[in-house]
mmCIF file with all atom_site columns, all heavy atoms in Angstrom:
data_model
loop_
_atom_site.group_PDB
_atom_site.id
_atom_site.type_symbol
_atom_site.label_atom_id
_atom_site.label_alt_id
_atom_site.label_comp_id
_atom_site.label_asym_id
_atom_site.label_entity_id
_atom_site.label_seq_id
_atom_site.pdbx_PDB_ins_code
_atom_site.Cartn_x
_atom_site.Cartn_y
_atom_site.Cartn_z
_atom_site.occupancy
_atom_site.B_iso_or_equiv
_atom_site.pdbx_formal_charge
_atom_site.auth_seq_id
_atom_site.auth_comp_id
_atom_site.auth_asym_id
_atom_site.auth_atom_id
_atom_site.pdbx_PDB_model_num
ATOM 1   N N   . CYS A 1 30  ? 21.225 20.035 -34.198 1.00 96.00 ? 30  CYS A N   1
ATOM 2   C CA  . CYS A 1 30  ? 21.883 21.322 -34.295 1.00 96.00 ? 30  CYS A CA  1
ATOM 3   C C   . CYS A 1 30  ? 23.281 21.201 -33.804 1.00 96.00 ? 30  CYS A C   1
ATOM 4   O O   . CYS A 1 30  ? 23.710 20.178 -33.237 1.00 96.00 ? 30  CYS A O   1
ATOM 5   C CB  . CYS A 1 30  ? 21.069 22.393 -33.619 1.00 96.00 ? 30  CYS A CB  1
ATOM 6   S SG  . CYS A 1 30  ? 21.057 22.254 -31.770 1.00 96.00 ? 30  CYS A SG  1
ATOM 7   N N   . ARG A 1 31  ? 23.966 22.322 -33.839 1.00 96.00 ? 31  ARG A N   1
ATOM 8   C CA  . ARG A 1 31  ? 25.380 22.296 -33.327 1.00 96.00 ? 31  ARG A CA  1
ATOM 9   C C   . ARG A 1 31  ? 25.526 23.466 -32.374 1.00 96.00 ? 31  ARG A C   1
ATOM 10  O O   . ARG A 1 31  ? 25.034 24.598 -32.668 1.00 96.00 ? 31  ARG A O   1
ATOM 11  C CB  . ARG A 1 31  ? 26.376 22.522 -34.476 1.00 96.00 ? 31  ARG A CB  1
ATOM 12  C CG  . ARG A 1 31  ? 27.813 22.382 -33.988 1.00 96.00 ? 31  ARG A CG  1
ATOM 13  C CD  . ARG A 1 31  ? 28.777 22.253 -35.167 1.00 96.00 ? 31  ARG A CD  1
ATOM 14  N NE  . ARG A 1 31  ? 30.109 22.258 -34.731 1.00 96.00 ? 31  ARG A NE  1
ATOM 15  C CZ  . ARG A 1 31  ? 30.871 21.159 -34.777 1.00 96.00 ? 31  ARG A CZ  1
ATOM 16  N NH1 . ARG A 1 31  ? 30.423 19.995 -35.183 1.00 96.00 ? 31  ARG A NH1 1
ATOM 17  N NH2 . ARG A 1 31  ? 32.120 21.264 -34.304 1.00 96.00 ? 31  ARG A NH2 1
ATOM 18  N N   . LEU A 1 32  ? 26.099 23.211 -31.275 1.00 95.00 ? 32  LEU A N   1
ATOM 19  C CA  . LEU A 1 32  ? 26.453 24.284 -30.257 1.00 95.00 ? 32  LEU A CA  1
ATOM 20  C C   . LEU A 1 32  ? 27.919 24.097 -29.966 1.00 95.00 ? 32  LEU A C   1
ATOM 21  O O   . LEU A 1 32  ? 28.352 23.087 -29.386 1.00 95.00 ? 32  LEU A O   1
ATOM 22  C CB  . LEU A 1 32  ? 25.746 24.004 -28.924 1.00 95.00 ? 32  LEU A CB  1
ATOM 23  C CG  . LEU A 1 32  ? 24.212 24.125 -28.906 1.00 95.00 ? 32  LEU A CG  1
ATOM 24  C CD1 . LEU A 1 32  ? 23.649 23.618 -27.578 1.00 95.00 ? 32  LEU A CD1 1
ATOM 25  C CD2 . LEU A 1 32  ? 23.876 25.648 -29.092 1.00 95.00 ? 32  LEU A CD2 1
ATOM 26  N N   . ARG A 1 33  ? 28.647 25.074 -30.372 1.00 95.00 ? 33  ARG A N   1
ATOM 27  C CA  . ARG A 1 33  ? 30.147 25.083 -30.170 1.00 95.00 ? 33  ARG A CA  1
ATOM 28  C C   . ARG A 1 33  ? 30.700 23.784 -30.681 1.00 95.00 ? 33  ARG A C   1
ATOM 29  O O   . ARG A 1 33  ? 30.493 23.472 -31.845 1.00 95.00 ? 33  ARG A O   1
ATOM 30  C CB  . ARG A 1 33  ? 30.481 25.291 -28.686 1.00 95.00 ? 33  ARG A CB  1
ATOM 31  C CG  . ARG A 1 33  ? 29.944 26.652 -28.220 1.00 95.00 ? 33  ARG A CG  1
ATOM 32  C CD  . ARG A 1 33  ? 30.057 26.888 -26.669 1.00 95.00 ? 33  ARG A CD  1
ATOM 33  N NE  . ARG A 1 33  ? 31.459 26.692 -26.288 1.00 95.00 ? 33  ARG A NE  1
ATOM 34  C CZ  . ARG A 1 33  ? 31.849 26.761 -25.027 1.00 95.00 ? 33  ARG A CZ  1
ATOM 35  N NH1 . ARG A 1 33  ? 30.971 27.076 -24.128 1.00 95.00 ? 33  ARG A NH1 1
ATOM 36  N NH2 . ARG A 1 33  ? 33.107 26.653 -24.685 1.00 95.00 ? 33  ARG A NH2 1
ATOM 37  N N   . GLN A 1 34  ? 31.376 22.998 -29.846 1.00 96.00 ? 34  GLN A N   1
ATOM 38  C CA  . GLN A 1 34  ? 32.009 21.740 -30.330 1.00 96.00 ? 34  GLN A CA  1
ATOM 39  C C   . GLN A 1 34  ? 31.056 20.505 -30.102 1.00 96.00 ? 34  GLN A C   1
ATOM 40  O O   . GLN A 1 34  ? 31.461 19.371 -30.168 1.00 96.00 ? 34  GLN A O   1
ATOM 41  C CB  . GLN A 1 34  ? 33.309 21.423 -29.606 1.00 96.00 ? 34  GLN A CB  1
ATOM 42  C CG  . GLN A 1 34  ? 33.292 21.158 -28.138 1.00 96.00 ? 34  GLN A CG  1
ATOM 43  C CD  . GLN A 1 34  ? 33.312 22.396 -27.272 1.00 96.00 ? 34  GLN A CD  1
ATOM 44  O OE1 . GLN A 1 34  ? 32.987 23.525 -27.634 1.00 96.00 ? 34  GLN A OE1 1
ATOM 45  N NE2 . GLN A 1 34  ? 33.907 22.288 -26.099 1.00 96.00 ? 34  GLN A NE2 1
ATOM 46  N N   . TYR A 1 35  ? 29.764 20.805 -29.905 1.00 97.00 ? 35  TYR A N   1
ATOM 47  C CA  . TYR A 1 35  ? 28.806 19.704 -29.663 1.00 97.00 ? 35  TYR A CA  1
ATOM 48  C C   . TYR A 1 35  ? 27.913 19.613 -30.861 1.00 97.00 ? 35  TYR A C   1
ATOM 49  O O   . TYR A 1 35  ? 27.161 20.565 -31.247 1.00 97.00 ? 35  TYR A O   1
ATOM 50  C CB  . TYR A 1 35  ? 28.020 19.982 -28.330 1.00 97.00 ? 35  TYR A CB  1
ATOM 51  C CG  . TYR A 1 35  ? 28.930 20.148 -27.167 1.00 97.00 ? 35  TYR A CG  1
ATOM 52  C CD1 . TYR A 1 35  ? 29.247 21.442 -26.675 1.00 97.00 ? 35  TYR A CD1 1
ATOM 53  C CD2 . TYR A 1 35  ? 29.423 19.118 -26.496 1.00 97.00 ? 35  TYR A CD2 1
ATOM 54  C CE1 . TYR A 1 35  ? 30.073 21.611 -25.591 1.00 97.00 ? 35  TYR A CE1 1
ATOM 55  C CE2 . TYR A 1 35  ? 30.267 19.248 -25.412 1.00 97.00 ? 35  TYR A CE2 1
ATOM 56  C CZ  . TYR A 1 35  ? 30.559 20.519 -24.971 1.00 97.00 ? 35  TYR A CZ  1
ATOM 57  O OH  . TYR A 1 35  ? 31.459 20.685 -23.852 1.00 97.00 ? 35  TYR A OH  1
ATOM 58  N N   . GLU A 1 36  ? 27.624 18.326 -31.231 1.00 98.00 ? 36  GLU A N   1
ATOM 59  C CA  . GLU A 1 36  ? 26.577 18.057 -32.202 1.00 98.00 ? 36  GLU A CA  1
ATOM 60  C C   . GLU A 1 36  ? 25.328 17.498 -31.340 1.00 98.00 ? 36  GLU A C   1
ATOM 61  O O   . GLU A 1 36  ? 25.428 16.384 -30.849 1.00 98.00 ? 36  GLU A O   1
ATOM 62  C CB  . GLU A 1 36  ? 26.991 17.047 -33.267 1.00 98.00 ? 36  GLU A CB  1
ATOM 63  C CG  . GLU A 1 36  ? 28.017 17.560 -34.171 1.00 98.00 ? 36  GLU A CG  1
ATOM 64  C CD  . GLU A 1 36  ? 28.591 16.486 -35.098 1.00 98.00 ? 36  GLU A CD  1
ATOM 65  O OE1 . GLU A 1 36  ? 28.119 15.299 -35.085 1.00 98.00 ? 36  GLU A OE1 1
ATOM 66  O OE2 . GLU A 1 36  ? 29.415 16.850 -35.911 1.00 98.00 ? 36  GLU A OE2 1
ATOM 67  N N   . VAL A 1 37  ? 24.324 18.343 -31.284 1.00 98.00 ? 37  VAL A N   1
ATOM 68  C CA  . VAL A 1 37  ? 23.152 17.931 -30.446 1.00 98.00 ? 37  VAL A CA  1
ATOM 69  C C   . VAL A 1 37  ? 22.261 17.030 -31.241 1.00 98.00 ? 37  VAL A C   1
ATOM 70  O O   . VAL A 1 37  ? 21.843 17.372 -32.348 1.00 98.00 ? 37  VAL A O   1
ATOM 71  C CB  . VAL A 1 37  ? 22.362 19.244 -30.026 1.00 98.00 ? 37  VAL A CB  1
ATOM 72  C CG1 . VAL A 1 37  ? 21.205 18.839 -29.058 1.00 98.00 ? 37  VAL A CG1 1
ATOM 73  C CG2 . VAL A 1 37  ? 23.296 20.213 -29.330 1.00 98.00 ? 37  VAL A CG2 1
ATOM 74  N N   . TRP A 1 53  ? 27.100 14.905 -29.125 1.00 98.00 ? 53  TRP A N   1
ATOM 75  C CA  . TRP A 1 53  ? 28.290 14.281 -29.403 1.00 98.00 ? 53  TRP A CA  1
ATOM 76  C C   . TRP A 1 53  ? 29.378 15.414 -29.345 1.00 98.00 ? 53  TRP A C   1
ATOM 77  O O   . TRP A 1 53  ? 29.272 16.405 -29.911 1.00 98.00 ? 53  TRP A O   1
ATOM 78  C CB  . TRP A 1 53  ? 28.341 13.646 -30.732 1.00 98.00 ? 53  TRP A CB  1
ATOM 79  C CG  . TRP A 1 53  ? 29.648 13.065 -31.242 1.00 98.00 ? 53  TRP A CG  1
ATOM 80  C CD1 . TRP A 1 53  ? 30.438 13.590 -32.182 1.00 98.00 ? 53  TRP A CD1 1
ATOM 81  C CD2 . TRP A 1 53  ? 30.267 11.880 -30.783 1.00 98.00 ? 53  TRP A CD2 1
ATOM 82  N NE1 . TRP A 1 53  ? 31.569 12.764 -32.302 1.00 98.00 ? 53  TRP A NE1 1
ATOM 83  C CE2 . TRP A 1 53  ? 31.429 11.711 -31.447 1.00 98.00 ? 53  TRP A CE2 1
ATOM 84  C CE3 . TRP A 1 53  ? 29.858 11.015 -29.874 1.00 98.00 ? 53  TRP A CE3 1
ATOM 85  C CZ2 . TRP A 1 53  ? 32.283 10.629 -31.287 1.00 98.00 ? 53  TRP A CZ2 1
ATOM 86  C CZ3 . TRP A 1 53  ? 30.642 9.851  -29.635 1.00 98.00 ? 53  TRP A CZ3 1
ATOM 87  C CH2 . TRP A 1 53  ? 31.934 9.733  -30.307 1.00 98.00 ? 53  TRP A CH2 1
ATOM 88  N N   . THR A 1 55  ? 32.535 16.768 -30.400 1.00 97.00 ? 55  THR A N   1
ATOM 89  C CA  . THR A 1 55  ? 33.364 16.391 -31.615 1.00 97.00 ? 55  THR A CA  1
ATOM 90  C C   . THR A 1 55  ? 34.819 16.413 -31.330 1.00 97.00 ? 55  THR A C   1
ATOM 91  O O   . THR A 1 55  ? 35.563 15.678 -32.113 1.00 97.00 ? 55  THR A O   1
ATOM 92  C CB  . THR A 1 55  ? 33.046 17.430 -32.753 1.00 97.00 ? 55  THR A CB  1
ATOM 93  O OG1 . THR A 1 55  ? 33.355 18.725 -32.212 1.00 97.00 ? 55  THR A OG1 1
ATOM 94  C CG2 . THR A 1 55  ? 31.609 17.344 -33.108 1.00 97.00 ? 55  THR A CG2 1
ATOM 95  N N   . ASN A 1 56  ? 35.387 17.007 -30.400 1.00 96.00 ? 56  ASN A N   1
ATOM 96  C CA  . ASN A 1 56  ? 36.774 16.966 -30.092 1.00 96.00 ? 56  ASN A CA  1
ATOM 97  C C   . ASN A 1 56  ? 37.159 15.806 -29.225 1.00 96.00 ? 56  ASN A C   1
ATOM 98  O O   . ASN A 1 56  ? 38.157 15.188 -29.444 1.00 96.00 ? 56  ASN A O   1
ATOM 99  C CB  . ASN A 1 56  ? 37.266 18.231 -29.308 1.00 96.00 ? 56  ASN A CB  1
ATOM 100 C CG  . ASN A 1 56  ? 37.084 19.512 -30.168 1.00 96.00 ? 56  ASN A CG  1
ATOM 101 O OD1 . ASN A 1 56  ? 37.031 19.452 -31.432 1.00 96.00 ? 56  ASN A OD1 1
ATOM 102 N ND2 . ASN A 1 56  ? 36.868 20.699 -29.587 1.00 96.00 ? 56  ASN A ND2 1
ATOM 103 N N   . ILE A 1 63  ? 23.621 17.616 -22.430 1.00 97.00 ? 63  ILE A N   1
ATOM 104 C CA  . ILE A 1 63  ? 23.603 19.098 -22.364 1.00 97.00 ? 63  ILE A CA  1
ATOM 105 C C   . ILE A 1 63  ? 22.246 19.531 -21.730 1.00 97.00 ? 63  ILE A C   1
ATOM 106 O O   . ILE A 1 63  ? 21.178 19.205 -22.254 1.00 97.00 ? 63  ILE A O   1
ATOM 107 C CB  . ILE A 1 63  ? 23.753 19.769 -23.728 1.00 97.00 ? 63  ILE A CB  1
ATOM 108 C CG1 . ILE A 1 63  ? 25.148 19.410 -24.357 1.00 97.00 ? 63  ILE A CG1 1
ATOM 109 C CG2 . ILE A 1 63  ? 23.648 21.341 -23.550 1.00 97.00 ? 63  ILE A CG2 1
ATOM 110 C CD1 . ILE A 1 63  ? 25.451 20.045 -25.717 1.00 97.00 ? 63  ILE A CD1 1
ATOM 111 N N   . ASP A 1 100 ? 31.359 21.101 -18.772 1.00 95.00 ? 100 ASP A N   1
ATOM 112 C CA  . ASP A 1 100 ? 31.484 22.396 -19.354 1.00 95.00 ? 100 ASP A CA  1
ATOM 113 C C   . ASP A 1 100 ? 30.168 23.196 -19.032 1.00 95.00 ? 100 ASP A C   1
ATOM 114 O O   . ASP A 1 100 ? 29.140 22.636 -18.770 1.00 95.00 ? 100 ASP A O   1
ATOM 115 C CB  . ASP A 1 100 ? 31.568 22.292 -20.935 1.00 95.00 ? 100 ASP A CB  1
ATOM 116 C CG  . ASP A 1 100 ? 32.031 23.516 -21.627 1.00 95.00 ? 100 ASP A CG  1
ATOM 117 O OD1 . ASP A 1 100 ? 32.402 24.511 -20.937 1.00 95.00 ? 100 ASP A OD1 1
ATOM 118 O OD2 . ASP A 1 100 ? 31.995 23.485 -22.880 1.00 95.00 ? 100 ASP A OD2 1
ATOM 119 N N   . GLY A 1 101 ? 30.391 24.544 -18.996 1.00 94.00 ? 101 GLY A N   1
ATOM 120 C CA  . GLY A 1 101 ? 29.175 25.388 -18.811 1.00 94.00 ? 101 GLY A CA  1
ATOM 121 C C   . GLY A 1 101 ? 29.436 26.702 -19.566 1.00 94.00 ? 101 GLY A C   1
ATOM 122 O O   . GLY A 1 101 ? 30.608 27.207 -19.461 1.00 94.00 ? 101 GLY A O   1
ATOM 123 N N   . TRP A 1 102 ? 28.386 27.265 -20.089 1.00 93.00 ? 102 TRP A N   1
ATOM 124 C CA  . TRP A 1 102 ? 28.546 28.505 -20.817 1.00 93.00 ? 102 TRP A CA  1
ATOM 125 C C   . TRP A 1 102 ? 27.145 29.179 -21.048 1.00 93.00 ? 102 TRP A C   1
ATOM 126 O O   . TRP A 1 102 ? 26.165 28.554 -20.933 1.00 93.00 ? 102 TRP A O   1
ATOM 127 C CB  . TRP A 1 102 ? 29.282 28.352 -22.167 1.00 93.00 ? 102 TRP A CB  1
ATOM 128 C CG  . TRP A 1 102 ? 28.438 27.700 -23.231 1.00 93.00 ? 102 TRP A CG  1
ATOM 129 C CD1 . TRP A 1 102 ? 27.792 28.386 -24.222 1.00 93.00 ? 102 TRP A CD1 1
ATOM 130 C CD2 . TRP A 1 102 ? 28.225 26.361 -23.433 1.00 93.00 ? 102 TRP A CD2 1
ATOM 131 N NE1 . TRP A 1 102 ? 27.155 27.412 -25.028 1.00 93.00 ? 102 TRP A NE1 1
ATOM 132 C CE2 . TRP A 1 102 ? 27.465 26.145 -24.587 1.00 93.00 ? 102 TRP A CE2 1
ATOM 133 C CE3 . TRP A 1 102 ? 28.670 25.135 -22.831 1.00 93.00 ? 102 TRP A CE3 1
ATOM 134 C CZ2 . TRP A 1 102 ? 27.048 24.949 -25.041 1.00 93.00 ? 102 TRP A CZ2 1
ATOM 135 C CZ3 . TRP A 1 102 ? 28.250 23.894 -23.306 1.00 93.00 ? 102 TRP A CZ3 1
ATOM 136 C CH2 . TRP A 1 102 ? 27.389 23.860 -24.425 1.00 93.00 ? 102 TRP A CH2 1
ATOM 137 N N   . GLU A 1 103 ? 27.221 30.472 -21.477 1.00 89.00 ? 103 GLU A N   1
ATOM 138 C CA  . GLU A 1 103 ? 26.058 31.211 -21.802 1.00 89.00 ? 103 GLU A CA  1
ATOM 139 C C   . GLU A 1 103 ? 26.229 31.530 -23.288 1.00 89.00 ? 103 GLU A C   1
ATOM 140 O O   . GLU A 1 103 ? 27.235 32.006 -23.713 1.00 89.00 ? 103 GLU A O   1
ATOM 141 C CB  . GLU A 1 103 ? 25.832 32.386 -20.967 1.00 89.00 ? 103 GLU A CB  1
ATOM 142 C CG  . GLU A 1 103 ? 24.552 33.199 -21.211 1.00 89.00 ? 103 GLU A CG  1
ATOM 143 C CD  . GLU A 1 103 ? 24.265 34.207 -20.130 1.00 89.00 ? 103 GLU A CD  1
ATOM 144 O OE1 . GLU A 1 103 ? 25.077 34.324 -19.219 1.00 89.00 ? 103 GLU A OE1 1
ATOM 145 O OE2 . GLU A 1 103 ? 23.212 34.860 -20.334 1.00 89.00 ? 103 GLU A OE2 1
ATOM 146 N N   . GLN A 1 104 ? 25.086 31.402 -23.997 1.00 88.00 ? 104 GLN A N   1
ATOM 147 C CA  . GLN A 1 104 ? 25.145 31.701 -25.514 1.00 88.00 ? 104 GLN A CA  1
ATOM 148 C C   . GLN A 1 104 ? 23.741 32.210 -25.854 1.00 88.00 ? 104 GLN A C   1
ATOM 149 O O   . GLN A 1 104 ? 22.752 31.543 -25.634 1.00 88.00 ? 104 GLN A O   1
ATOM 150 C CB  . GLN A 1 104 ? 25.542 30.480 -26.253 1.00 88.00 ? 104 GLN A CB  1
ATOM 151 C CG  . GLN A 1 104 ? 25.508 30.635 -27.765 1.00 88.00 ? 104 GLN A CG  1
ATOM 152 C CD  . GLN A 1 104 ? 25.899 29.398 -28.432 1.00 88.00 ? 104 GLN A CD  1
ATOM 153 O OE1 . GLN A 1 104 ? 26.714 28.704 -28.033 1.00 88.00 ? 104 GLN A OE1 1
ATOM 154 N NE2 . GLN A 1 104 ? 25.228 29.142 -29.596 1.00 88.00 ? 104 GLN A NE2 1
ATOM 155 N N   . PHE A 1 109 ? 23.895 26.870 -20.619 1.00 94.00 ? 109 PHE A N   1
ATOM 156 C CA  . PHE A 1 109 ? 24.075 25.461 -20.953 1.00 94.00 ? 109 PHE A CA  1
ATOM 157 C C   . PHE A 1 109 ? 25.070 24.874 -19.980 1.00 94.00 ? 109 PHE A C   1
ATOM 158 O O   . PHE A 1 109 ? 26.111 25.463 -19.511 1.00 94.00 ? 109 PHE A O   1
ATOM 159 C CB  . PHE A 1 109 ? 24.682 25.279 -22.344 1.00 94.00 ? 109 PHE A CB  1
ATOM 160 C CG  . PHE A 1 109 ? 23.825 25.903 -23.409 1.00 94.00 ? 109 PHE A CG  1
ATOM 161 C CD1 . PHE A 1 109 ? 23.874 27.111 -23.819 1.00 94.00 ? 109 PHE A CD1 1
ATOM 162 C CD2 . PHE A 1 109 ? 22.905 25.051 -24.064 1.00 94.00 ? 109 PHE A CD2 1
ATOM 163 C CE1 . PHE A 1 109 ? 23.109 27.682 -24.868 1.00 94.00 ? 109 PHE A CE1 1
ATOM 164 C CE2 . PHE A 1 109 ? 21.980 25.551 -25.006 1.00 94.00 ? 109 PHE A CE2 1
ATOM 165 C CZ  . PHE A 1 109 ? 22.150 26.896 -25.406 1.00 94.00 ? 109 PHE A CZ  1
ATOM 166 N N   . THR A 1 111 ? 27.098 21.103 -19.683 1.00 96.00 ? 111 THR A N   1
ATOM 167 C CA  . THR A 1 111 ? 27.426 19.817 -20.338 1.00 96.00 ? 111 THR A CA  1
ATOM 168 C C   . THR A 1 111 ? 27.847 18.845 -19.256 1.00 96.00 ? 111 THR A C   1
ATOM 169 O O   . THR A 1 111 ? 28.680 19.153 -18.435 1.00 96.00 ? 111 THR A O   1
ATOM 170 C CB  . THR A 1 111 ? 28.500 19.949 -21.421 1.00 96.00 ? 111 THR A CB  1
ATOM 171 O OG1 . THR A 1 111 ? 28.099 20.881 -22.305 1.00 96.00 ? 111 THR A OG1 1
ATOM 172 C CG2 . THR A 1 111 ? 28.802 18.597 -22.101 1.00 96.00 ? 111 THR A CG2 1
#
Side-chain angles (χ1 to χ4, degrees):
C30 66
R31 186 167 177 110
L32 292 171
R33 299 173 56 181
Q34 67 270 29
Y35 304 99
E36 291 177 1
V37 183
W53 176 253
T55 58
N56 296 335
I63 298 180
D100 195 4
W102 75 97
E103 186 168 359
Q104 178 179 323
F109 298 91
T111 304

